Amino acid sequence: MPAAPLPANESVRLQTLVDYQILDSLPEQEYDDIVGIASRICRTPIALVSLIDADRQWFKARVGVDVGQTDRSAAFCAHAILNQDEVLAVRDATQDPRFLDNPLVTGAPHIRFYAGSPLVTPDGVALGTLCVIDSIPRELSPEQLLSLKALGRQTTSLIELRGRTNQLETYRSELERSNEALQEFAYAASHDLKQPIRGIGSLTEFFVEDYGDQLDDAAKEKLELIRRLTDRAQTMIDQMLHYARVGSVVDRLQSVDLNEVVDHVKENLFALFASGQVSIQCMQLPSANGAPVLLNELFQNLISNGIKYNDNESKTVEVGFQTKRIGPDDEPVTAFFIADNGIGIPERMRPEVFTIFRRLHAADAYGGGSGAGLTIARKIVETHGGRIWIDPAYQDGTCFWFTIGTSVAGIENEFCYDKVQSQRDVCHAVSI
């Protein structure tokens, strides 16, 4: 019995089989359905999804046989994969010199008729066949041949889908490892960088305490500058570490009452409100699905910005939302806004406000800061599957809009502060 010659791309073919991770996998209904349909259409007692390994043919799905694999040397399918473009059809194996003394012909299952459609990947690699077998000589009709080819293509699509799913899972695992490594690096870097910065700050303080009476005003001013720079560097390191951690904690989302979130922000900023110079006007907000700690931080960042960057004697921040359908057949989308009567952001500078450490003012202006707050706010929103943007038409200060759980392209053009007037008195909560 002559064994089938090896395909020219045999090493690539075997590696492709390994990459798909399909050999010796558990039975799957989709493949079982295909062999069942092939058997009924071609009216044969046996149908197989056969994959040709290095020294065996292994059956991913089978009907009409009990064994799960046979030697490759006896595999009809090993011949079928040599011509990827055609169905190998053998009317009577006892009359074909390639198969007449094959043990699968002379013994069980006593193959006489065989037809195998090669399973060819998009890269042109034949992995095996979808084949039908009978113990009596016969031929397939043109319609049956077309159906067998079509089912073979569907089988290949299933295998290809499996490969892509495996690849995505690999990418996901690698991304998780990469994120873990990034966080570990952030922790290590922050620790390693903080130590010398603390040392510089402490030495500066000691120097002023021990030698301050020997320094002129210019020297004291330079030492004070060093102290401020070390404080700022430490703040930036803390913000970098915090930015790296945002997103790693959103593993269990829950319904969050955003009215309670705003109340918590008011408590955190109590000293400012107590002065009577700051007020928050808040609509009755809907609930949102998210991480409570991060949503608290999001609202606090945006509300405190409206207070901090504000030259008015009476500072006002307004919190609200709008719900609308983007398309006639779409589900309603809810977007939130936080508007203030502060100094505003020039249009030319708006693309840069979400860039980490990008301050739009002098380092010590408006109470200073690291310039990471809005970057963290954007990351929190994106971690929750949303978008954040600045209302371009708002003229009385700054109005930030954001969504939670929705990031439809072009959504920024659908919401405008000036069109929310009709919803000012909304007093019922809507879950999103």
Side-chain angles (χ1 to χ4, degrees):
M1 177 191 69
L6 298 178
N9 64 344
E10 178 67 1
S11 60
V12 173
R13 198 187 65 78
L14 293 176
Q15 184 58 52
T16 303
L17 268 175
V18 172
D19 293 341
Y20 279 115
Q21 300 179 31
I22 191 171
L23 290 173
D24 299 311
S25 59
L26 294 174
E28 296 176 63
Q29 188 63 51
E30 294 88 344
Y31 296 91
D32 293 341
D33 289 343
I34 285 177
V35 294
I37 294 170
S39 175
R40 289 192 292 274
I41 289 176
C42 297
R43 301 182 182 278
T44 60
I46 298 173
L48 307 165
V49 172
S50 173
L51 301 173
I52 305 300
D53 199 3
D55 55 5
R56 60 173 176 156
Q57 64 171 347
W58 177 79
F59 305 137
K60 172 61 182 173
R62 63 185 188 272
V63 61
V65 296
D66 295 328
V67 297
Q69 63 184 40
T70 68
D71 288 342
R72 178 174 178 171
S73 60
F76 281 54
C77 298
H79 293 267
I81 64 173
L82 297 175
N83 187 349
Q84 300 179 1
D85 301 324
E86 299 292 336
V87 172
L88 173 63
V90 180
R91 181 182 183 280
D92 185 352
T94 63
Q95 304 301 312
D96 191 312
R98 293 172 294 180
F99 307 114
L100 58 87
D101 58 349
N102 188 298
L104 301 179
V105 174
T106 59
H110 300 286
I111 296 175
R112 294 298 180 267
F113 167 75
Y114 169 92
S117 179
L119 306 177
V120 184
T121 72
D123 294 330
V125 179
L127 304 177
T129 72
L130 170 64
C131 65
V132 291
I133 296 171
D134 206 339
S135 58
I136 60 174
R138 56 175 302 173
E139 293 178 353
L140 295 181
S141 69
E143 292 78 10
Q144 289 173 321
L145 279 171
L146 287 175
S147 297
L148 187 64
K149 286 184 176 181
L151 288 171
R153 290 192 295 272
Q154 291 302 311
T155 305
T156 302
S157 296
L158 282 175
I159 295 173
E160 181 68 15
L161 178 61
R162 179 191 186 88
R164 291 184 181 277
T165 301
N166 291 337
Q167 190 175 50
L168 287 174
E169 179 61 25
T170 299
Y171 290 156
R172 186 193 65 79
S173 298
E174 291 176 351
L175 183 59
E176 285 185 354
R177 288 194 295 270
S178 177
N179 285 338
E180 290 173 0
L182 177 61
Q183 290 182 34
E184 291 175 0
F185 171 77
Y187 282 116
S190 66
H191 179 271
D192 292 345
L193 289 173
K194 281 182 178 179
Q195 292 301 326
I197 289 174
R198 287 198 191 102
I200 293 172
S202 297
L203 285 173
T204 302
E205 292 178 2
F206 295 153
F207 193 87
V208 171
E209 290 176 3
D210 294 342
Y211 304 102
D213 57 349
Q214 302 177 35
L215 301 175
D216 58 23
D217 291 341
K220 291 179 180 179
E221 185 177 336
K222 289 182 173 60
L223 287 172
E224 175 61 19
L225 175 60
I226 292 173
R227 187 195 62 77
R228 292 201 305 271
L229 289 175
T230 55
D231 287 347
R232 192 176 305 156
Q234 187 155 329
T235 299
M236 291 178 70
I237 292 170
D238 290 338
Q239 292 291 352
M240 286 181 66
L241 177 59
H242 182 60
Y243 179 78
R245 295 183 64 186
V246 169
S248 64
V249 298
V250 185
D251 50 0
R252 291 187 179 179
L253 304 182
Q254 64 187 72
S255 180
V256 180
D257 185 342
L258 297 182
N259 300 291
E260 292 184 0
V261 168
V262 175
D263 287 341
H264 292 159
V265 172
K266 289 181 179 179
E267 291 176 358
N268 294 340
L269 302 176
F270 173 77
L272 292 174
F273 296 124
S275 68
Q277 297 179 339
V278 176
S279 67
I280 288 186
Q281 301 170 6
C282 186
M283 298 168 62
Q284 183 72 16
L285 300 176
S287 298
N289 196 40
V293 173
L294 292 185
L295 292 182
N296 269 276
E297 181 168 6
L298 170 65
F299 276 78
Q300 178 148 331
N301 272 350
L302 296 179
I303 290 173
S304 61
N305 263 14
I307 300 170
K308 180 178 180 180
Y309 297 101
N310 198 319
D311 288 334
N312 289 301
E313 183 176 343
S314 183
K315 302 172 175 58
T316 301
V317 177
E318 184 177 355
V319 182
F321 74 99
Q322 185 180 20
T323 299
K324 63 185 296 187
R325 294 181 186 275
I326 305 302
D329 300 323
D330 296 335
E331 292 293 320
V333 173
T334 296
F336 301 90
F337 69 85
I338 296 178
D340 62 64
N341 66 338
I343 62 174
I345 301 174
E347 184 175 355
R348 71 181 187 282
M349 304 177 79
R350 290 174 183 173
E352 303 180 46
V353 297
F354 295 109
T355 302
I356 194 166
F357 301 143
R358 178 67 174 93
R359 288 181 51 84
L360 306 184
H361 310 282
D364 296 327
Y366 298 99
S370 66
L374 289 179
T375 309
I376 292 172
R378 182 182 66 178
K379 189 169 184 181
I380 291 172
V381 169
E382 292 177 349
T383 296
H384 285 79
R387 290 195 180 191
I388 184 170
W389 66 96
I390 298 173
D391 190 330
Y394 188 78
Q395 300 295 324
D396 299 326
T398 304
C399 178
F400 288 98
W401 284 90
F402 60 90
T403 58
I404 298 173
T406 303
S407 58
V408 180
I411 198 170
E412 298 91 339
N413 303 318
E414 300 294 333
F415 294 91
C416 178
Y417 176 87
D418 292 340
K419 296 180 181 179
V420 188
Q421 298 296 330
S422 62
Q423 288 190 283
R424 286 295 192 275
D425 298 326
V426 172
C427 59
H428 63 281
V430 181
S431 295
I432 58 172

